[in-house]
Amino acid sequence: MTERQILNHFPNWRDAVRSAGLAPHTANQKLNDEELLEDWGKLVRNRRQIPTREQYRREGKFSPGVFEKHFGPWKGLPARFRDFAKDKSNWTDVVTLLPDPTSTPKIVAEAGTRCLGAKPTIVSGPHSRLADRSTYGNPTDFRGMRHEPINEQGVVFLFGMIAKELGYMVEALQSGFPDCEAKRQVGPDKWQRVRIEFEFESRNFRDHGHPDNGCDVIVCWRDNWHDRPQNLEIIELVSVIKTLSKSDD
């Protein structure tokens, strides 16, 4: 049973522990606003966009409910973070990803109200997604790949582009676990066999219920599994291509 399955039935981990008749860990319960906002800001930085409540629940360190107790509605977090990050140069890159409160919002008519006098709606958040169109990741223009991966297939393709530069030679790919058998160079004229599993995010490995003794390396777009078993190596491609992009320049 995964953490995600448990949290589908309980608002947070502590409530699940109490319902099981156990005593939750009580150390370090008190959180200050700065600690919460820093963790939210780190996720914005990693994703290069504002996370939804569900995205933060899966990838963040704390419960979204804790934020709402401290700051009110979830949609107000960008403004609260702006206030927190004011005059803090180390958060400039995150602030640039947040909506500009001084910009003039777009005004569009409500769907189905095209007549004169239709009441306008203020659009201040992300645009609505069209059901009949493809969805892309953030622009990256890394060699032949125009956008960042948004799924596991994109991770496989990207790894194939740079496997040789990472010192890997792919032997076989399969649909079952593990996804890939490869050899990697471990010294001059010396190679070893490794088992690779591809995941969009490293924590998906745990959520999919894979045994950690059946794999050596997780290749992912983003590493968000902070308490993973020590025997699993992680190749985080978002970090790798930043380095390779600089070398290409």
Side-chain angles (χ1 to χ4, degrees), residues 28-98:
N28 301 320
Q29 285 187 34
K30 189 174 181 180
L31 298 172
N32 57 47
D33 291 355
E34 181 173 326
E35 186 177 5
L36 292 168
L37 291 170
E38 283 183 351
D39 191 68
W40 185 87
K42 289 176 183 176
L43 187 56
V44 174
R45 175 179 286 152
N46 290 337
R47 296 187 63 89
R48 307 305 299 168
Q49 64 181 9
I50 298 172
T52 64
R53 191 179 190 279
E54 173 61 18
Q55 287 168 340
Y56 182 85
R57 187 187 69 77
R58 288 189 287 110
E59 303 174 32
K61 184 178 178 181
F62 307 106
S63 165
V66 174
F67 283 84
E68 290 161 343
K69 289 179 181 178
H70 281 245
F71 309 114
W74 186 262
K75 64 181 180 180
L77 278 174
R80 296 301 297 265
F81 188 87
R82 273 187 176 276
D83 293 339
F84 157 75
K86 188 177 180 181
D87 301 325
K88 293 183 175 69
S89 59
N90 58 313
W91 292 109
T92 301
D93 62 317
V94 175
V95 172
T96 58
L97 298 171
L98 307 181

